[in-house]
Amino acid sequence: MSNEGKKVKVHYTGTLDDGTTFDSSVERGEPIEFTCMAGQMIPGFDAAVKDMAVGETKTVRIPAAEAYGERDEGKVQQVPISQIPNGDQLPAGQTVYMMGPGGQPFPVFVKSIENGIATFDMNHELAGKALTFEITLVEAAD
């Protein structure tokens, strides 16, 4: 039985290869809800839930290419601080939100600030990493 196109609720815990938990609906006490195979989740997560039965728990390891993609060094850019509003207040080592061309905010990691140049990394923080999820399908509805 396929869950494709169904509204599903799942509980999950996501870990990195070193065992570090990066996200957990279980810890929040609230399952996530999404339409299976509608592109709302990373591809490997969608695929894992597609053929699960309600009440089933499984553990899957999702390679980077099926998660947040491989790291792209082209997404690391350097910008003179003088060209950034309040550039002198950028917090190195933290994530800030920039405005995209359509006015939508997107997260950017401030990698460093040196010699008047800010280095931004626009890769997703989990890009290039394989992810392991323990997933329990709580509910599936048409």
Side-chain angles (χ1 to χ4, degrees):
M1 179 183 90
S2 174
N3 292 314
E4 186 167 355
K6 292 182 179 180
K7 284 257 187 226
V8 297
K9 286 185 181 180
V10 302
H11 263 305
Y12 68 91
T13 298
T15 56
L16 303 175
D17 284 346
D18 67 4
T20 304
T21 298
F22 64 86
D23 193 14
S24 175
S25 69
V26 176
E27 289 178 10
R28 289 191 300 276
E30 180 86 27
I32 61 165
E33 183 176 333
F34 61 97
T35 301
C36 189
M37 302 304 290
Q40 298 170 342
M41 303 298 290
I42 58 174
F45 195 96
D46 249 349
V49 173
K50 181 180 174 188
D51 296 317
M52 288 180 72
V54 173
E56 179 182 356
T57 297
K58 73 159 97 170
T59 300
V60 294
R61 185 172 187 275
I62 301 172
E66 294 174 35
Y68 291 96
E70 300 296 344
R71 277 195 54 77
D72 178 357
E73 290 308 313
K75 290 184 176 181
V76 177
Q77 298 184 4
Q78 295 186 320
V79 180
I81 290 177
S82 61
Q83 294 180 9
I84 305 166
N86 300 316
D88 58 335
Q89 297 173 22
L90 283 170
Q94 294 184 28
T95 298
V96 297
Y97 285 84
M98 300 278 191
M99 288 296 178
Q104 294 290 345
F106 64 96
V108 176
F109 182 73
V110 182
K111 196 169 178 180
S112 66
I113 299 172
E114 296 174 353
N115 303 318
I117 303 290
T119 302
F120 296 112
D121 186 344
M122 291 174 257
N123 284 286
H124 187 281
E125 64 183 325
L126 295 173
K129 296 180 179 176
L131 309 177
T132 298
F133 287 94
E134 181 178 88
I135 305 168
T136 301
L137 180 58
V138 176
E139 187 179 301
D142 290 326

